[in-house]
């Protein structure tokens, strides 16, 4: 069973626009992480936010975490064609990651 | 590139056969985790090895087994293959198996069971 659920399932945006995706989870967590996957290949770690943090930035990425609502959001600003990928949130507990089903983002030129 | 390698890249097996997948962890990492990713789904945790010992297991039957070697590379073995075992198998290595350690994923092995 999957811990997290991403919303929306798919997103299509124009290059230069912002992309926002959300993640909801069910149980308490140590931290929440976001990963990117290109065309069914390996996952690339994007950012980790700990349970006592509310917001974190990394380059064009902004992640928020609301533990009271058990939800997180990932914002990609000024999107590029290279951002086309699937994005997964993963919650960590007992050293194992539990992933959602992902959001597929398509950035149109 | 994460430095985590997996072999083979693709594999086709028939139902009932056995398969071994291999993973070389990133230099300096002593923890390897294995995940199964079915088409259109997120990865699901199979198990984790820390310093050659199993350090946690997901909801997978015993026919999924693993090993970690002294050089911290790892194998995933699946016996009595079923059609539903068709998936992308990902391994990830991390520094010490502690909470918050970044897991670095390999490119995966795509297994097709006919």
């Amino acid at each position: 069973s999957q811990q997290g659920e991403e919303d929306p399932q798919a997103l299509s945006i124009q290059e230069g626009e912002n992309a926002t995706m959300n993640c909801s989870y069910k149980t308490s967590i140590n931290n929440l992480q976001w990963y990117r996957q290109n065309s069914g290949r390996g996952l690339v770690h994007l950012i980790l936010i700990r349970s006592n943090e509310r917001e974190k930035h990394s380059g064009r990425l902004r992640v928020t975490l609301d533990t009271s609502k058990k939800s997180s959001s990932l914002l990609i600003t000024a999107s590029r064609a290279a951002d086309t990928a699937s994005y997964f949130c993963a919650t960590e507990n007992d050293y194992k990651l539990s992933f959602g089903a992902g959001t597929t983002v398509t950035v149109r030129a | 590139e994460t430095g985590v390698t997996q072999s083979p890249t693709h594999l086709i097996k028939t139902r009932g056969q056995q398969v071994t997948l291999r993973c070389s962890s990133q230099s300096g990492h002593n923890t390897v985790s294995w995940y199964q990713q079915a088409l259109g789904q997120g990865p699901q945790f199979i198990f984790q090895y820390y310093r050659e010992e199993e350090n946690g297991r997901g909801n997978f039957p015993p026919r999924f087994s693993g090993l970690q070697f002294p050089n911290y590379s790892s194998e995933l073995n699946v016996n009595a293959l079923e059609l539903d075992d068709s998936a992308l198998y990902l391994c990830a290595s991390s520094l010490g198996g502690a909470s918050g350690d970044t897991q670095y994923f390999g490119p995966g092995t795509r297994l097709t069971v006919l």
Side-chain angles (χ1 to χ4, degrees):
Chain A
S1 62
Q2 311 218 263
Q3 156 82 303
E5 287 186 15
E6 286 93 343
D7 171 59
Q9 289 186 325
L11 187 57
S12 180
I13 55 174
Q14 202 75 29
E15 207 165 22
E17 293 181 337
N18 295 343
T20 300
M21 58 211 87
N22 304 295
C23 167
S24 58
Y25 57 92
K26 297 172 186 172
T27 62
S28 62
I29 59 172
N30 294 330
N31 61 68
L32 187 143
Q33 304 177 35
W34 286 90
Y35 285 82
R36 184 186 74 226
Q37 185 177 40
N38 292 86
S39 299
R41 295 191 57 79
L43 281 79
V44 174
H45 182 264
L46 295 176
I47 196 165
L48 178 152
I49 186 165
R50 300 188 187 281
S51 58
N52 61 353
E53 296 176 311
R54 292 296 168 258
E55 186 170 314
K56 205 160 182 182
H57 296 255
S58 176
R60 296 184 294 112
L61 305 180
R62 173 179 168 254
V63 168
T64 63
L65 179 65
D66 187 335
T67 53
S68 66
K69 294 181 180 177
K70 291 187 170 59
S71 67
S72 174
S73 68
L74 171 66
L75 168 69
I76 305 172
T77 60
S79 62
R80 306 166 181 168
D83 294 328
T84 294
S86 293
Y87 292 82
F88 296 90
C89 69
T91 54
E92 187 201 309
N93 250 329
D94 294 331
Y95 317 137
K96 77 176 189 185
L97 296 177
S98 297
F99 288 85
T103 293
T104 299
V105 174
T106 302
V107 180
R108 305 186 308 272
Chain B
E1 294 294 325
T2 62
V4 178
T5 60
Q6 291 186 245
S7 63
T9 306
H10 295 90
L11 201 53
I12 299 175
K13 292 284 189 177
T14 56
R15 199 169 43 182
Q17 286 189 311
Q18 178 264 343
V19 69
T20 297
L21 310 182
R22 295 179 175 82
C23 171
S24 290
S25 57
Q26 189 162 306
S27 178
H29 288 184
N30 57 23
T31 303
V32 172
S33 303
W34 285 91
Y35 296 83
Q36 180 197 65
Q37 186 178 21
L39 202 60
Q41 299 295 317
Q44 290 206 31
F45 176 75
I46 303 175
F47 41 57
Q48 182 184 85
Y49 279 84
Y50 171 65
R51 293 187 173 181
E52 303 180 60
E53 297 287 330
E54 188 177 289
N55 186 40
R57 189 178 181 91
N59 189 25
F60 280 81
R63 58 190 186 82
F64 285 78
S65 62
L67 278 175
Q68 187 178 32
F69 300 100
N71 66 355
Y72 302 131
S73 66
S74 178
E75 284 182 357
L76 163 66
N77 299 290
V78 187
N79 293 323
L81 283 167
E82 301 176 359
L83 297 180
D84 283 349
D85 296 333
S86 294
L88 181 69
Y89 288 85
L90 297 161
C91 79
S93 74
S94 54
L95 197 55
S99 177
D101 276 352
T102 298
Q103 296 194 22
Y104 295 87
F105 282 80
T109 293
R110 179 142 326 260
L111 172 65
T112 302
V113 182
L114 303 175

